[in-house]
Amino acid sequence: MENFREKTVLITGAAGGLGRAIALAFGEAGADVSLADVNEEGLHETAALVSGRKATARVSVVDLSSRQACFNLVKETVDHFGALDVLCNVAGILGPGHTTEISESVWNKIVAVNLSAPFWLIQASLPHLLERNGNVVNIASSGAFIGEAYVVPYTATKAGVVQMTRSLAMEYIKKPVRINAVAPGPMATSMIDNVQFPEGVDMELIQRYMGIRPAADPAQVADLVLYLASDRAANIHGACLVSDGGHSVC
Ligand SMILES: NC(=O)c1ccc[n+]([C@@H]2O[C@H](COP(=O)([O-])OP(=O)(O)OC[C@H]3O[C@@H](n4cnc5c(N)ncnc54)[C@H](O)[C@@H]3O)[C@@H](O)[C@H]2O)c1
């Protein structure tokens, strides 16, 4: 099991299925966790579960769709715990719809949460991560690599997360920091369980990207995130590791 004692980990989307699984896994491994999400109730539930495992958790109820909110979150985390070792960019929204019906505000929101927030959080975190030989794990999606109808803004932002990871890794290749991504396939979380496609979609196209194997338990993906954030992955930089049950080869 990985050991993250005396390490501080910032996790966004911590009220959600994968964010909670990652928070519990880091808590189990002894980390201090800073948990952020716009969903206050879910966030407190996650914090209670983590604290039950004797880890230290703090929460920030925050909408991460502005640069200032991202900078405030990093500052609050460092002010509270005194350092930052790992940033996990997990918060995300799907926003399904027919391409011709997606409004400017929906497009802007998906870009703000899925792509801009990880960038601003990395920008704010880098000075702290560099002091601690720390690292970033961005959550992308297998949808970054295959075509998925009716979720075009989502997959475009996730492809952006993969390329942002690569280019940041190159820019920081001579510095003491690692930047990686994980691309999950379908997981049993509210993003999939509660998805509502609009009228008139072609279900055959959607079935093609819902995966052949059953949706994964987010704890499986959280395991990979912990490995990537650990010293055992010291040689992994600029990678996007896929954990999708073969979803992206179908
Ligand atoms: N569930 C899947 O099948 C799947 C597949 C591939 C990738 N992913 C990715 O995994 C990550 C986690 O998703 P999940 O499956 O746990 O879904 P989820 O809906 O359970 O969790 C997403 C979390 O992000 C939070 N969030 C949304 N907008 C926010 C904002 N503006 N500010 C702060 N928090 C905000 C939500 O409140 C929610 O708690 C996402 O990046 C998602 O794109 C999910």
Side-chain angles (χ1 to χ4, degrees):
M1 185 181 170
E2 311 297 348
N3 184 350
F4 282 89
R5 268 178 233 296
E6 320 230 329
K7 306 266 188 195
T8 300
V9 182
L10 170 55
I11 303 157
T12 71
L18 179 58
R20 178 172 293 174
I22 292 171
L24 292 176
F26 274 113
E28 208 57 76
D32 292 330
V33 290
S34 178
L35 309 174
D37 203 291
V38 74
N39 171 354
E40 181 168 7
E41 194 184 338
L43 193 55
H44 285 290
E45 280 171 20
T46 302
L49 289 166
V50 172
S51 302
R53 298 180 183 209
K54 310 255 187 309
T56 310
R58 71 170 292 282
V59 297
S60 293
V61 180
V62 57
D63 179 345
L64 290 167
S65 48
S66 80
R67 183 177 185 268
Q68 192 58 53
C70 294
F71 270 73
N72 290 348
L73 174 61
V74 171
K75 183 174 183 322
E76 286 161 21
T77 300
V78 174
D79 285 350
H80 186 90
F81 288 118
L84 180 61
D85 296 282
V86 180
L87 167 65
C88 294
N89 280 311
V90 186
I93 45 177
L94 188 61
H98 294 279
T99 289
T100 49
E101 290 166 11
I102 287 168
S103 65
E104 187 175 1
S105 65
V106 167
W107 169 271
N108 286 342
K109 184 78 180 178
I110 296 170
V111 172
V113 177
N114 293 3
L115 184 59
S116 303
F119 180 77
W120 301 133
L121 286 161
I122 291 167
Q123 194 181 62
S125 298
L126 273 167
H128 307 290
L129 297 173
L130 286 163
E131 276 176 21
R132 304 272 291 185
N133 206 351
N135 68 85
V136 177
V137 181
N138 293 318
I139 299 300
S141 168
S142 53
F145 308 112
I146 57 175
E148 295 190 348
Y150 313 117
V151 286
V152 173
Y154 176 81
T155 57
T157 56
K158 292 299 183 177
V161 167
V162 174
Q163 189 56 19
M164 179 171 77
T165 302
R166 287 198 193 105
S167 293
L168 277 165
M170 191 61 200
E171 189 168 330
Y172 283 85
I173 201 159
K174 296 184 178 177
K175 308 276 186 193
V177 65
R178 294 186 300 112
I179 301 155
N180 290 297
V182 165
M187 291 180 290
T189 70
S190 62
M191 182 172 280
I192 294 296
D193 295 345
N194 301 332
V195 64
Q196 290 195 323
F197 286 101
E199 296 271 309
V201 295
D202 181 339
M203 284 312 293
E204 190 192 341
L205 302 185
I206 293 171
Q207 286 305 333
R208 283 181 176 259
Y209 67 78
M210 289 314 265
I212 291 174
R213 295 188 171 185
D217 180 340
Q220 293 174 301
V221 177
D223 273 353
L224 181 59
V225 171
L226 250 71
Y227 166 71
L228 209 40
S230 77
D231 292 343
R232 288 203 297 149
N235 196 38
I236 304 182
H237 180 53
C240 180
L241 303 188
V242 176
S243 172
D244 71 348
H247 185 226
S248 53
V249 295
C250 291

